[in-house]
Structure formats: structure tokens, C-alpha cells
Amino acid sequence: MTTEQSAAEMLSEDVHSFARPSEAVATHLDLNIDVDFGNKVLSGQAAYQIENKTGTEEIVFDTRGLQIEQAFVGDDMEPTSFRLGTPDEVLGQPLFVKIKPDTRRVTIKYRTSPEAAALQWLNPQQTAGKQHPFLFTQSQAILARTWIPIQDSPGIRITYSATVQVPAELLAVMSASNPTEKNPRGVYNFEMRQPIPSYLMALSVGDLTFREIGPQTGIYAEPATIEAAAYEFAEMDKMLVAAEKIYGKYRWDRYDLLVLPPSFPFGGMENPRLTFVTPTVLAKDRSLTSLIAHELAHSWSGNLVTNGTWNDFWLNEGFTVYFERRIMEELYGKEYADMLQVLGYQDLRHTLEELGADSPDTRLKLDLEGRDPDDGLTDIAYEKGNFFLQHIEKAVGRERFDAFVNKYFATYAFQSTYTDTFLNFLRSELIQGDAALAEKINIEGWVYTPGLPQDFVAPSSDRFAKVAETFRSWQKGVPAEKLATQGWSSHEWLHFIRMLPEDMTQQQLTELDKAFHFTTSGNNEVLAAWFLHTIRNNYASADTALQAFLTTVGRRKFLVPLYKQLIKTPQGKEKALAIYAKARPNYHAVATVTLDELLK
Ligand code: BES
Ligand code: ZN
């Protein structure tokens, strides 16, 4: 190995995986598993095509909480020895499997633990239909290893096929080619022909039905939810067309959605070919569909060109937020997209305040060594990343920037990139030695410096300026019911609610609630923002709704701020603990890890 190579490998080293891909790397997975709802266990085998690059005597996989039963090498399944290394609470255990220089295939027989953090096993009561159990996985960031022994690094890609056995009355779907109907044997076959990183491995099993939306798009949901979902996401096909117009052909054949039960811990997860989405965006007015634009955008930024390590997370999310807003602008105009930018900016301000503007975690390029990547993945990557790209766009003009990003995606398609890969590409393809431009772009200030750089220009929105005007007239004494709020979207309402002062009287809260029915809003963004005020100001009329919200919704982005607000006072803390005791069984491990820490 030359010094140059080893330096490059140091830069791209993934501190969250035990795998040693420069020695022996998996290239294809044949997964064959059984889904046992009774015992909450997946069992079966993961058979890998591997490449032994250095003639090493062992290949290393990541595992966490897996029971490894047997290992084999070769097509004729010759038993081989294996051992598990010392467990680490966050990273799990390396699995060393003995191989030979000419070994091309490794098969691992294993079973998962009922506590596997990627898996949420729901009982029928926790589903929309209340008749059947439900299972879904969440692999990002480093949880794939809790349900598959795998080289669990975003710098490694595999193709896969899978055979999954489930109870006959349920349908299985994966981040792969999918069935659209149940089969009486409950055996489903999948194939993902494009190489993907491990965090995009995904499986869900439930009483699911499929509805076509466009030629390339459709929705999977429980029968009780499919109608509402088909209405809400009717524009997904248009989004796909708009996205292709900006960054070129969609590379994954189909784009479908899977609408999950409300305990899904995220808004959405960009599992390739099949985005997983929370039902909390079913607002009946298509107001929260930027989430779909976001997950769709990941089909380019993230799934096609992938952050090589979690320290480079902004390459996934910053690009995706930027692209999401471009798609929304294309479909609904600049005025609409501007509202999203301002809301995003508010989130960014909030995160900067929470972390402290000089916290190293507010740099785009992160250093998460020795930590759970989940702790360091914040709004910084999303919004600061987005504003950095907007800043470059403004410096060179949209046309030039679009050509540049198109070339970036084409150049690194189906590969992983690191912050340096992108920055070098930026220098060679866009800056091209233009010193004035380099200074303007200010890579150092944006990527390696905490907080926001001096040259940052905050976004603004004309529609929000009107909201602010309306808000001021309320402050000056115009009664709520007389305010000019006609035709407001949920974004305008959200902005209005975020403008409310910290301290409010019962009379003010009652007045607003009576005029605008916030407590009974069907829009979960509006509800969550409103509850922050009702908690802070002890507005008891919202307590029942708050409790119902916290016991059904499992989306961490909503839960964390609400619980944080609750525990600010001793009475609030008592309330929080009581609600949490009831609600915790409904939450995914991804959420309980965070909340256990917060509420301990
Ligand atoms: N890939 C993320 C979700 C994620 C990030 C899971 C890090 C685990 C670790 C997904 O694309 C996402 O960003 N979801 C957002 C929605 C989006 C509109 C900002 C969410 O879930 O809130
Ligand atoms: Zn995302």
C-alpha cells in the first residue's frame, strides 16, 4: 500500500463499523428469513458473495444482539469457524468468519433478538386495522446490524435478493422489487439489482394493500389507511417528473410509498424503491407533502451518491433538503418554497441555540468517533447543508450550479462520497482556480467552522411577512376571530404559532383556540407547535389532546421537544413520566433510546 492510498483510506475510515472492506468485502447478499411474530424473531441465513482482496483469513461483519448459529464457506456450504469480538454498547460486536484466499461465498445462519433495535413488532391494537400484527425495520444509521449480520458501513454497497416467509394473511415488502398482492403461502421473493449501502436494507410485514398512483408510482398501506393516503399523495408522480427534470433520470425503476402505523419514529425513510412514511402527514389537505419530495430527492442524494461515513451526513441530508425545496418550487412556486426555507431556518436557529453556536457539532463535517451517530445527526446537516448549497447556487447562478450537481451525481452514481470528494469536485469543476469565487464560496467557513458564517443571508418569505403583519394586529388588540387568516396554509399557521410569545395568559390561549381550533387541528405540525405553548402556559384544555398525541404518535421529532417542554417544571415532569409510562410501549427503540435518556 502506498502512503497516498493509506492517507485516503484514513480519511474515509468508518469509525462506526468493524468491517475491513479493503481486505474482504461483501458484494451481494442472498437473504432467506422467517418472520416469527409470536417470538418476535427473524431467523434464517445471510449468504454473501464476497471478494477476498488481500488473501486474508477472515472476513469481518457487524452484528449487534444477533445469535450467530453457524457459518459456512463456498457453494457447497462447508462449515467454517467464526467468533464474535468484544461487545460495544453502540457498535455491537464484530463477527469474524474464517475464509480462504479463494473463498467467494460465505453463509451465516443466525437469529435476531426480540429486542433488536431496528425492529418494531406491533400488536394488532397498534395498527390502523386492529386485526393483524405489523413489523417494520429502521436500519439507518447503524441498526441494520441488529437484524442482519452485515458490513454495516455506508461506504460499502451490495446488491441483494431475499426470500421472506411470513404468516399467510400478511404481505411482506422490502427496499427492492415488491409484490403487489398477498400469496397464500406467505412466501415472498425480492430483488435489489442496484448496489445499495446497508442502512437502506428494509423490510415491513403487515396487512398491506397496494394502490397505483402513476405508471411508476404507488402506495402500500393498511386497508384502513389506503384511501386517505392515495388522496394525500396523489401528486407523487408529478414530484418524480419534476425531480427528473432537475437532476436527470430516476435510477431505481419504481418509486412507491409504504405508509406505516403512527409509531414509526421518523417522518420518512428513503428506503430505495419504497419510501417508508409516517401517517402523521395525512393531513387531508396535502399540506405536508414536502416530506415525500424529501424522501424522493434521496433517490439521488443519499441512495445514488451516498455519504461514505456518518461524519459526512450533510452530503445526504443537506443536498436532499436543497433538492426537496427545488422540487416544491417547481411544483408549487417560489412563494411556497420560500415558506419552507424560512421554517427550515427557524429550525436551524433553534438547533444552533440548543447546541451552542460554537459547538463542534454545528460544523457540516462532523466528528462522531466514539459516539452513537444518532446523537450527532441534527438539523445542522439538513439546514446548514441546504443553505451552503443555496449559497453556492447564488454565487454561480442556478444554471451553472445545476449543471455542476448533475455532473456530480453522474460521476459518483452508485458510489459513496466523502466531504473531501465533494469539495475537490467543487474546486475542480466549479471554482476552477477563480480566487474571487473561492473566497465568496468560503468552504472553510461553511464546512469546518461552527455556527453560521458572516456572509450568511437569512431567507425571507412574502407570505410569512403577511402572517407577521396579521400577528402584530392581534398583538395590538384586533380580536383573533377578526384576523385576516383566510386561505392560510398549514405553513402560515405554523409560522403564526411559532411567533406567539413565551408567556401567554389563559385568556389569550382560549381566544386563539376558540377562533382557530388549534387543539383539535388535524395537522400534526400545527398541533405539535401549539402544544409547546399550551404546556409552557399550563393551558389545561389541551391536556387530553396532548396525552392522546403523545400516546399514539411515535415520531421522535415531535416527541422530544414536547417532553423537553414538559420536564421544565416539577409538575410537568410528573405528567411527562406518567404519560411516558403509558406511551413507551408504543414507541420504537429509536425513540425510547432518546427519551429514556431525557426522562431518566
Ligand atoms: N434519512 C432520514 C431519516 C434518518 C436520518 C433516519 C438519520 C435515521 C438517521 C430521512 O430522510 C429524513 O430526513 N426524515 C425527516 C423528514 C424530512 C422531511 C426532514 C424526518 O423523519 O423528520
Ligand atoms: Zn432525509
Side-chain angles (χ1 to χ4, degrees):
M1 203 183 272
T2 69
T3 15
E4 208 173 294
Q5 268 171 333
S6 61
E9 262 168 31
M10 293 261 291
L11 279 174
S12 58
E13 195 201 355
D14 182 356
V15 293
H16 296 111
S17 169
F18 294 112
R20 299 199 291 252
S22 57
E23 296 174 19
V25 71
T27 56
H28 176 83
L29 163 65
D30 293 304
L31 186 68
N32 192 328
I33 50 173
D34 230 70
V35 178
D36 178 350
F37 278 93
N39 293 308
K40 301 188 176 175
V41 164
L42 305 180
S43 64
Q45 62 178 46
Y48 286 100
Q49 256 350 96
I50 69 158
E51 213 180 291
N52 188 343
K53 291 180 169 173
T54 57
T56 174
E57 295 196 337
E58 57 188 16
I59 181 166
V60 191
F61 297 93
D62 293 290
T63 71
R64 200 181 117 193
L66 296 180
Q67 197 178 316
I68 305 298
E69 293 167 338
Q70 268 179 299
F72 308 90
V73 289
D75 293 330
D76 44 5
M77 301 270 282
E78 190 189 320
T80 187
S81 61
F82 66 89
R83 73 193 156 87
L84 285 164
T86 323
D88 176 281
E89 209 188 310
V90 174
L91 303 179
Q93 288 170 283
L95 166 65
F96 303 93
V97 179
K98 184 107 193 279
I99 56 172
K100 300 193 187 97
D102 62 353
T103 301
R104 299 297 314 275
R105 195 170 175 83
V106 170
T107 303
I108 304 156
K109 268 193 73 187
Y110 74 101
R111 52 204 298 122
T112 61
S113 131
E115 282 79 46
L119 306 178
Q120 192 174 18
W121 301 87
L122 299 174
N123 59 47
Q125 265 318 307
Q126 295 168 298
T127 67
K130 318 267 181 229
Q131 302 295 317
H132 300 280
F134 200 104
L135 166 71
F136 65 86
T137 64
Q138 169 58 42
S139 296
Q140 197 182 13
I142 56 167
L143 302 178
R145 64 190 70 176
T146 72
W147 69 285
I148 311 173
I150 197 164
Q151 293 190 317
D152 198 7
S153 167
I156 302 172
R157 307 180 90 84
I158 51 169
T159 51
Y160 77 87
S161 79
T163 301
V164 181
Q165 167 80 63
V166 305
E169 65 281 8
L170 304 181
L171 183 73
V173 289
M174 292 190 81
S175 51
S177 60
N178 275 307
T180 54
E181 271 172 24
K182 290 177 189 164
N183 77 54
R185 290 187 309 133
V187 179
Y188 297 93
N189 296 307
F190 304 89
E191 204 170 328
M192 170 45 77
R193 291 169 184 270
Q194 292 95 333
I196 60 164
S198 57
Y199 75 89
L200 297 176
M201 291 298 305
L203 167 70
S204 181
V205 181
D207 179 20
L208 294 170
T209 178
F210 176 75
R211 173 80 63 90
E212 199 176 281
I213 296 290
Q216 240 181 312
T217 51
I219 302 177
Y220 291 85
E222 289 185 66
T225 314
I226 193 76
E227 215 48 67
Y231 175 80
E232 203 76 27
F233 306 132
E235 278 155 7
M236 63 185 292
D237 212 73
K238 281 191 207 143
M239 284 185 175
L240 183 57
V241 173
E244 287 189 318
K245 197 172 135 191
I246 302 169
Y247 289 139
K249 186 133 189 57
Y250 180 74
R251 306 282 290 265
W252 307 88
D253 308 321
R254 289 198 59 84
Y255 182 68
D256 295 319
L257 300 178
L258 168 66
V259 181
L260 291 152
S263 65
F264 184 56
F266 295 104
M269 177 64 214
E270 66 273 25
N271 298 314
R273 296 180 71 120
L274 185 66
T275 282
F276 284 21
V277 30
T278 172
T280 63
V281 290
L282 298 174
K284 299 195 165 73
D285 61 2
R286 302 180 180 166
S287 57
L288 302 177
T289 56
S290 63
L291 181 113
I292 307 302
H294 179 97
E295 305 312 334
L296 171 64
H298 273 306
S299 308
W300 286 260
S301 43
N303 299 3
L304 186 62
V305 180
T306 308
N307 58 203
T309 75
W310 299 116
N311 288 335
D312 308 292
F313 185 58
W314 78 276
L315 293 176
N316 270 21
E317 297 299 343
F319 269 84
T320 296
V321 170
Y322 172 84
F323 190 10
E324 160 208 325
R325 309 248 164 98
R326 289 289 303 275
I327 296 169
M328 295 310 276
E329 179 178 335
E330 187 73 28
L331 286 180
Y332 307 108
K334 182 159 185 312
E335 281 205 331
Y336 188 98
D338 283 348
M339 292 195 289
L340 300 178
Q341 301 291 8
V342 173
L343 292 172
Y345 174 60
Q346 291 166 353
D347 293 337
L348 176 58
R349 277 274 162 230
H350 181 81
T351 303
L352 285 169
E353 234 162 74
E354 280 215 321
L355 296 173
D358 51 8
S359 155
D361 285 348
T362 66
R363 297 173 300 186
L364 284 181
K365 172 73 195 276
L366 297 168
D367 179 8
L368 300 173
E369 180 155 19
R371 291 157 66 186
D372 185 339
D374 219 32
D375 295 341
L377 306 183
T378 69
D379 275 347
I380 299 297
Y382 289 77
E383 297 296 343
K384 187 179 175 183
N386 162 52
F387 288 120
F388 178 42
L389 297 172
Q390 278 195 45
H391 168 75
I392 305 173
E393 183 204 318
K394 275 187 236 154
V396 299
R398 182 165 281 189
E399 205 178 316
R400 244 178 102 189
F401 188 63
D402 280 358
F404 163 74
V405 177
N406 264 284
K407 188 162 181 191
Y408 174 67
F409 288 147
T411 305
Y412 295 105
F414 299 110
Q415 297 177 45
S416 296
T417 60
Y418 305 86
T419 297
D420 279 330
T421 324
F422 172 71
L423 295 178
N424 288 335
F425 197 77
L426 178 68
R427 289 187 193 99
S428 67
E429 294 291 325
L430 204 62
I431 298 178
Q432 296 183 321
D434 180 340
L437 181 58
E439 202 185 310
K440 205 162 165 195
I441 289 179
N442 183 14
I443 289 176
E444 187 61 34
W446 278 94
V447 180
Y448 299 108
T449 313
L452 280 171
Q454 294 288 311
D455 53 15
F456 174 72
V457 185
S460 64
S461 149
D462 293 345
R463 282 171 68 172
F464 280 1
K466 294 203 183 103
V467 173
E469 225 174 88
T470 306
F471 178 77
R472 279 191 296 272
S473 60
W474 177 67
Q475 282 189 310
K476 284 192 199 126
V478 176
E481 57 187 26
K482 296 257 164 63
L483 293 175
T485 61
Q486 294 79 5
W488 278 12
S489 68
S490 70
H491 307 305
E492 279 137 326
W493 283 116
L494 190 56
H495 187 58
F496 182 87
I497 293 171
R498 285 181 176 185
M499 289 185 86
L500 294 171
E502 296 221 330
D503 294 320
M504 288 202 284
T505 65
Q506 296 299 305
Q507 197 208 331
Q508 286 175 315
L509 288 156
T510 310
E511 184 204 2
L512 293 170
D513 211 7
K514 224 176 128 204
F516 306 130
H517 313 289
F518 292 142
T519 301
T520 53
S521 170
N523 189 295
N524 287 299
E525 293 282 348
V526 166
L527 264 184
W530 172 244
F531 287 145
L532 290 176
H533 294 286
T534 68
I535 296 168
R536 192 186 291 116
N537 294 291
N538 291 308
Y539 177 65
S541 313
D543 276 2
T544 316
L546 172 67
Q547 182 154 350
F549 184 93
L550 290 174
T551 39
T552 47
V553 173
R555 194 171 164 189
R556 191 173 61 177
K557 168 188 131 167
F558 291 142
L559 298 180
V560 171
L562 290 173
Y563 278 108
K564 271 192 183 161
Q565 189 62 48
L566 275 169
I567 63 175
K568 280 185 182 162
T569 64
Q571 312 94 289
K573 176 143 194 186
E574 224 170 276
K575 209 187 277 178
L577 291 175
I579 296 175
Y580 190 52
K582 250 183 86 183
R584 194 178 183 281
N586 290 333
Y587 298 156
H588 188 281
V590 159
T592 55
V593 164
T594 313
L595 293 172
D596 284 351
E597 178 69 24
L598 186 71
L599 299 171
K600 73 176 176 220

